[in-house]
């Protein structure tokens, strides 16, 4: 019997320095209190354990888990276009995306104008999709879980940018609370911590030059 409250993944063998990384977190507004706990766990791991700059963590929200793959794909594409435009700017061209708030809801984990404008030219090095699916009384749960896991995997493979599957697929709210470290007994483990760690590790792997 696997321990109900396992304590997450082993740290990587070598320190993972995320100080030059830019990370996107896309989270759902379904089951928001639990989702927010998971988002905070991911941010905590990236900033406190892996030196990711808060201004380089961009947070976007979508209605539900089913929207996560589309949002991840779209926002990745925009960041890559912006980075390419930024490269052109070095030769004096005007960026077509400058000054556009394309999503209207993006917010760096902290907003410092100088850092934000600098960071906005850097493509995302990894994406963390965070959501909580809780089984209801129909098969809706099963269909969404399958679609979302396949969709998130496809965005990562198609884009070449690591996309962390941060979606809890739970039969009960108690299971979700335990996996966000929000259970009353305090025996749970916040999987957001693992997802933040994994995002840094996979981003560095993506950027590794052989
Ligand atoms: N039941 C849950 C949902 N359902 C909504 C879908 O994700 C989607 O937003 C809708 O079908 C419109 O496309 N979403 C969750 O994130 N968690 C749930 O438990
Ligand atoms: C994951 C879901 O979509 C689920 O919460 C919906 O509940 P129900 O199956 O009772 O409609």
């Amino acid at each position: 019997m696997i321990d109900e409250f396992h304590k997450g993944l082993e740290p990587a063998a070598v320190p993972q320095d995320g100080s030059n990384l830019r990370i996107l977190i896309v989270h759902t507004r379904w089951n928001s209190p639990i989702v927010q706990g998971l988002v905070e766990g991911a941010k905590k791991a990236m900033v406190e354990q892996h030196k990711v700059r808060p201004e380089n963590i961009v947070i976007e929200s979508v209605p539900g888990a089913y929207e996560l793959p589309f949002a991840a794909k779209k926002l990745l594409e925009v960041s890559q276009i912006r980075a390419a435009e930024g490269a052109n700017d070095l030769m004096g061209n005007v960026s077509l995306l400058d000054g556009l708030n394309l999503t209207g809801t993006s917010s760096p984990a902290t907003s410092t104008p100088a850092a934000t404008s600098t960071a906005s030219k850097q493509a995302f090095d990894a994406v963390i999709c965070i959501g909580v699916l809780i089984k209801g009384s129909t098969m809706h749960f099963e269909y969404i879980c399958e679609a979302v896991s396949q969709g998130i995997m496809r965005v990562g493979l198609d884009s070449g940018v690591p996309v962390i599957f941060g979606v809890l697929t739970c039969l009960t709210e108690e299971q979700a609370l335990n996996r966000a470290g929000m259970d009353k007994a305090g025996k749970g483990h916040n999987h957001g911590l693992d997802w933040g760690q994994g995002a840094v590790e996979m981003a560095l792997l993506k950027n590794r030059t052989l």
Side-chain angles (χ1 to χ4, degrees), residues 28 30-31 63-67 132-134 140 144:
T28 67
W30 262 77
N31 301 310
Y66 194 81
E67 284 72 43
V132 173
L133 284 156
I134 299 176
H140 198 228
I144 295 184

Side-chain angles (χ1 to χ4, degrees), residues 11-161:
V14 295
Q16 306 290 305
D17 181 349
S19 54
N20 293 319
L21 298 179
R22 188 164 182 248
I23 308 291
L24 170 66
I25 295 177
V26 187
H27 69 81
T28 67
R29 294 191 297 276
W30 262 77
N31 301 310
S32 192
I34 301 175
V35 167
Q36 286 307 317
L38 294 164
V39 169
E40 289 308 310
K43 285 164 56 178
K44 177 182 174 68
M46 290 192 283
V47 172
E48 295 181 10
Q49 296 170 23
H50 299 288
K51 298 186 233 174
V52 177
R53 291 189 294 157
E55 62 271 21
N56 277 341
I57 300 175
V58 175
I59 299 177
E60 294 280 352
S61 74
V62 293
Y66 194 81
E67 284 72 43
L68 286 170
F70 177 84
K73 173 184 169 64
K74 181 68 182 171
L75 294 169
L76 264 179
E77 288 171 351
V78 167
S79 82
Q80 288 165 339
I81 293 168
R82 186 187 292 275
E85 291 277 347
N88 291 338
D89 288 352
L90 293 177
M91 291 175 280
N93 301 340
V94 175
S95 167
L96 300 179
L97 298 173
D98 266 354
L100 289 185
N101 179 354
L102 293 167
T103 65
T105 59
S106 68
S107 60
T110 58
S111 58
T112 47
T116 305
S117 59
T118 307
S120 68
K121 300 296 184 196
Q122 183 180 341
F124 294 121
D125 295 289
V127 183
I128 308 174
C129 290
I130 295 180
V132 173
L133 284 156
I134 299 176
K135 171 79 175 161
S137 52
T138 71
M139 290 288 290
H140 198 228
F141 170 81
E142 284 79 359
Y143 286 101
I144 295 184
C145 290
E146 174 65 14
V148 171
S149 59
Q150 292 297 328
I152 287 174
M153 169 76 76
R154 202 176 91 214
V155 172
L157 295 176
D158 290 353
S159 67
V161 177

